[in-house]
Amino acid sequence: PLAGEERVRTWVGFGSAKLIEQAMAWADIDPNKHEECYSIFLKHYFTHLTDNTTLYPNVKALLKALKHQGVPVALVTNKPGVFIKPILDHFDITEHFGWFLGGDTLVERKPSGLPLLHCCDAIEAAPEKCLMIGDSITDFRAANNAGFKCALVTYGYNQGVDLATLGADVVIDDLVELLI
């Protein structure tokens, strides 16, 4: 039987290797087959990268406004780096990002603060002057670990956590709220 979207959504956000590990455990597949299953997943994912992928509301409006204001923007994800640019290109938003880091770009990934600190070092900004916009406890912890301010959206892959309980600087229903 299928695991179902609701269950799988709680697996998203910790990196694809962990997602496969959780899926294998749920399906009672021998953990020794992880490398084989992960390889199959990566090939399939790359082939179908944008099949059901959509942008959240007002992403383009926010990116356009930040670009207009000269605000440097980075994309930090736990997704393997090879997938980032094709997705951004698909939505014609690559140009809005000064750089992007995948979960395999540095020696640590979110919830470590290292990827965020790497970005603020690149623009010589103090961490407390930077904002992490995310949708999960992983994003919140990364922001907290880096000393960033944190805005969490109420939609996305929250791993079943009520984001309002985490203590983010702001929890919003729409990215446009950041422009007000």
Side-chain angles (χ1 to χ4, degrees):
L2 297 176
E5 183 177 344
E6 186 175 331
R7 176 178 288 116
V8 174
R9 288 179 72 84
T10 67
W11 299 341
V12 173
F14 304 105
S16 54
K18 182 69 175 174
L19 180 141
I20 296 305
E21 179 184 310
Q22 291 172 294
M24 290 175 62
W26 180 84
D28 199 28
I29 297 173
D30 180 356
N32 293 318
K33 295 186 178 222
H34 184 270
E35 189 174 320
E36 177 186 353
C37 291
Y38 187 52
S39 177
I40 291 168
F41 167 79
L42 291 176
K43 288 174 188 167
H44 179 80
Y45 185 57
F46 190 76
T47 303
H48 300 279
L49 204 50
T50 59
D51 287 1
N52 295 304
T53 304
T54 59
L55 286 179
Y56 291 129
N58 294 314
V59 167
K60 285 188 175 184
L62 177 64
L63 290 172
K64 184 178 178 181
L66 294 174
K67 184 176 183 177
H68 179 73
Q69 294 175 22
V71 176
V73 177
L75 184 131
V76 178
T77 178
N78 281 344
K79 183 182 303 294
V82 68
F83 300 126
I84 301 170
K85 189 172 182 314
I87 293 172
L88 297 178
D89 287 348
H90 174 78
F91 292 109
D92 197 29
I93 59 174
T94 307
E95 70 178 54
H96 293 284
F97 296 94
W99 60 105
F100 24 87
L101 290 93
D104 53 358
T105 304
L106 303 173
V107 296
E108 296 178 23
R109 62 182 182 168
K110 300 180 303 181
S112 168
L114 181 67
L116 280 66
L117 291 170
H118 178 82
C119 294
C120 77
D121 285 349
I123 59 170
E124 299 178 354
E128 62 273 11
K129 300 284 186 184
C130 297
L131 174 69
M132 167 66 162
I133 303 169
D135 66 355
S136 70
I137 190 169
T138 303
D139 294 327
F140 171 77
R141 287 180 176 155
N144 199 39
N145 289 335
F148 278 38
K149 294 191 180 319
C150 183
L152 295 174
V153 296
T154 56
Y155 49 85
Y157 295 97
N158 62 29
Q159 294 122 356
V161 174
D162 179 0
L163 301 179
T165 66
L166 297 178
D169 294 285
V170 64
V171 178
I172 57 176
D173 295 319
D174 191 321
L175 288 171
V176 77
E177 293 177 53
L178 294 174
L179 299 174
I180 300 171

